[in-house]
Amino acid sequence: MLVIPSRPLSFISSFNFPLQQFCSKTIITCMDSSITNSAANNCSREPNKVIGSGEVGISVEEWRGWGPTSTVPSMVTQVIEDLNLLEENVDAHMVFRGNHGKLSGDFKVQEDKKHRAKYQSLSDSEQKLQFFSARQIACRVLGSRGYLCQKCWLASGDCMCSKLITCPLWNRIRFWLYMHPKDFLRQNNTGKLLWQVFGVQAATLCLYGIAEHEEMMWDALKLAGKDKVWCLYPNKNAPASSVKDSMAGLSFAHVENHPEADGTHSLNFVLIDGTWSNSGAMFSRLKEQYKLMWGEEEIPCITLNAGASMMHKLRPQPSWDRTCTAAAAIGLLDELHDLPNFVSYGLDKQAKAIEDAVEVLLEALTARRLRMGRSITRKQRHNRDIV
């Protein structure tokens, strides 16, 4: 989630930065996208049973199908093994309700006791964060199998993949989607649109609290160097500069024909993708790692001048100086395009490609709400503009 409107925003800048089935006892109870209004309000319909072939883990193919480029994180694998072992030892099925990987029924009661005990037994905050993140992600993957489209994260009946148009991102820019586990597989998440449109090598998912993901991101940022990393986030406690102030002096003429495979000539932008209540902790973690790597207290900040995203119709932000992740990327690309040294790279067209994708997502979510008899407007969370 990121920028917005009536005044410039303070953003962080740090330039350096076959579906596998599961256990036969597992049941998913979630509403089908084509259900009627009455069924939408009644979750008593017969649950879907997904019968596995004896393999109860997540394959690399399935894992990457959801968006990550990594292998399956070791702690996510461990959490799934623990869930399956618990299911074997208790007289209850593993049941998920809804689309956020929420356990339900008797199994939830047993699993709650077990995971809380394990959490309390962990000795430090880092271990606790990694366990929390892994459990959230494991449950979301298991609870979304056979229900969500792996590419667009919408219910299969609402899949919008055929309407999305891909577009190559200029090869000197790389986005990192630093995503909170509770935003992973969220249907209204907009960060996913970046890799759907630009590809996973141009816009790479990094899950907060997953060691393998964070190591991968910081290794790439270290290779690029701290002068080629920015983090987009409205940090009001740090000095800010505009996109023009930060980028106007950059030149790429000497590297246009240089191989880009090692990433040393790429501009890396980290976008914090999570609710505003979670983003503060995510930003603090980025600052800590930045200090460990380069010995500096603050990540440089960039001010973006972006307008309100069309997604505000369904998902209003806490205040007028904040907007969704995709809108932040659009604003950045548009402002870069306005600079003479970036004007020849087609960044305006790349921004338009993401804007079109946001419109497709909004249409899909709106159609689903109407079909389910739900309101297509959301109560505003802010009472006044930020001044």
Side-chain angles (χ1 to χ4, degrees):
M1 320 289 230
L2 284 152
V3 249
I4 123 178
S6 34
R7 64 175 182 77
L9 287 199
S10 178
F11 272 107
I12 304 204
S13 132
S14 149
F15 208 125
N16 237 21
F17 203 88
L19 180 64
Q20 192 168 7
Q21 295 177 315
F22 51 109
C23 181
S24 58
K25 293 173 66 180
T26 305
I27 299 173
I28 301 177
T29 62
C30 49
M31 292 180 293
D32 189 88
S33 62
S34 60
I35 54 181
T36 62
N37 291 350
S38 59
N41 296 319
N42 183 358
C43 200
S44 62
R45 73 177 185 84
E46 194 67 25
N48 292 326
K49 293 186 179 181
V50 183
I51 301 175
S53 58
E55 295 178 291
V56 294
I58 300 177
S59 68
V60 173
E61 181 181 4
E62 179 188 0
W63 175 246
R64 290 179 177 172
W66 294 112
T69 59
S70 68
T71 57
V72 185
S74 58
M75 193 165 287
V76 171
T77 298
Q78 182 61 56
V79 168
I80 292 175
E81 290 175 354
D82 290 345
L83 288 170
N84 287 313
L85 181 61
L86 178 63
E87 190 175 37
E88 292 177 5
N89 294 332
V90 300
D91 186 23
H93 294 291
M94 192 189 306
V95 178
F96 295 92
R97 292 190 183 277
N99 60 354
H100 294 144
K102 293 181 179 178
L103 289 164
S104 182
D106 293 338
F107 185 86
K108 170 182 168 58
V109 175
Q110 298 295 326
E111 196 277 338
D112 272 350
K113 294 177 181 177
K114 184 174 180 180
H115 95 255
R116 291 176 188 277
K118 181 168 183 177
Y119 185 85
Q120 293 298 326
S121 71
L122 297 175
S123 59
D124 61 51
S125 58
E126 181 63 24
Q127 291 178 324
K128 289 182 176 181
L129 171 61
Q130 292 182 12
F131 174 68
F132 163 81
S133 296
R135 181 179 173 276
Q136 282 284 330
I137 291 162
C139 288
R140 284 167 184 262
V141 171
L142 294 180
S144 299
R145 281 172 163 172
Y147 175 57
L148 296 185
C149 168
Q150 284 190 283
K151 300 300 181 183
C152 67
W153 299 358
L154 298 184
S156 298
D158 301 308
C159 176
M160 65 179 194
C161 293
S162 63
K163 298 179 181 180
L164 289 175
I165 299 175
T166 59
C167 172
L169 181 65
W170 179 46
N171 61 15
R172 298 304 172 193
I173 286 180
R174 186 174 188 181
F175 286 114
W176 294 90
L177 281 300
Y178 192 43
M179 185 177 292
H180 195 276
K182 288 190 174 182
D183 261 65
F184 185 55
L185 305 189
R186 270 184 80 163
Q187 296 191 57
N188 65 0
N189 178 276
T190 64
K192 64 189 177 187
L193 298 174
L194 271 69
W195 70 75
Q196 285 185 282
V197 172
F198 296 143
V200 295
Q201 297 305 319
T204 305
L205 174 62
C206 174
L207 289 164
Y208 170 70
I210 298 299
E212 293 91 334
H213 279 213
E214 293 181 328
E215 288 171 7
M216 172 185 67
M217 179 175 72
W218 284 103
D219 284 348
L221 300 185
K222 183 177 181 180
L223 182 65
K226 71 175 182 179
D227 62 333
K228 293 186 175 67
V229 177
W230 286 261
C231 173
L232 299 183
Y233 183 78
N235 178 26
K236 298 179 180 179
N237 299 318
S241 60
S242 67
V243 171
K244 181 178 180 180
D245 292 338
S246 301
M247 308 289 179
L250 298 177
S251 173
F252 300 92
H254 66 294
V255 299
E256 277 308 297
N257 298 317
H258 192 285
E260 73 231 43
D262 63 359
T264 55
H265 297 293
S266 295
L267 312 181
N268 293 263
F269 297 95
V270 181
L271 290 87
I272 295 181
D273 194 352
T275 63
W276 287 102
S277 60
N278 291 326
S279 64
M282 298 171 72
F283 176 53
S284 295
R285 188 169 175 84
L286 289 175
K287 287 176 60 178
E288 289 171 5
Q289 186 59 39
Y290 188 86
K291 182 178 179 180
L292 287 173
M293 184 167 289
W294 286 301
E296 297 187 8
E297 293 288 339
E298 294 289 346
I299 302 176
C301 295
I302 289 180
T303 298
L304 290 179
N305 298 305
S309 166
M310 64 183 76
M311 284 295 291
H312 279 254
K313 297 175 182 178
L314 285 182
R315 197 182 70 181
Q317 300 298 322
S319 63
W320 280 117
D321 65 340
R322 301 174 180 181
T323 196
C324 67
T325 306
I330 292 167
L332 174 66
L333 292 173
D334 277 336
E335 290 192 46
L336 286 173
H337 175 72
D338 290 338
L339 301 179
N341 51 326
F342 285 89
V343 72
S344 63
Y345 302 125
L347 300 182
D348 58 333
K349 296 180 177 62
Q350 294 153 41
K352 182 61 165 58
I354 295 297
E355 187 175 347
D356 291 344
V358 173
E359 185 172 358
V360 170
L361 175 60
L362 177 62
E363 289 175 354
L365 294 173
T366 300
R368 178 176 175 79
R369 282 179 173 273
L370 290 172
R371 186 172 62 253
M372 298 178 70
R374 297 169 62 188
S375 171
I376 60 172
T377 59
R378 299 287 295 276
K379 182 179 179 181
Q380 296 294 317
R381 296 181 182 178
H382 47 268
N383 297 319
R384 60 183 176 82
D385 289 354
I386 300 298
V387 294

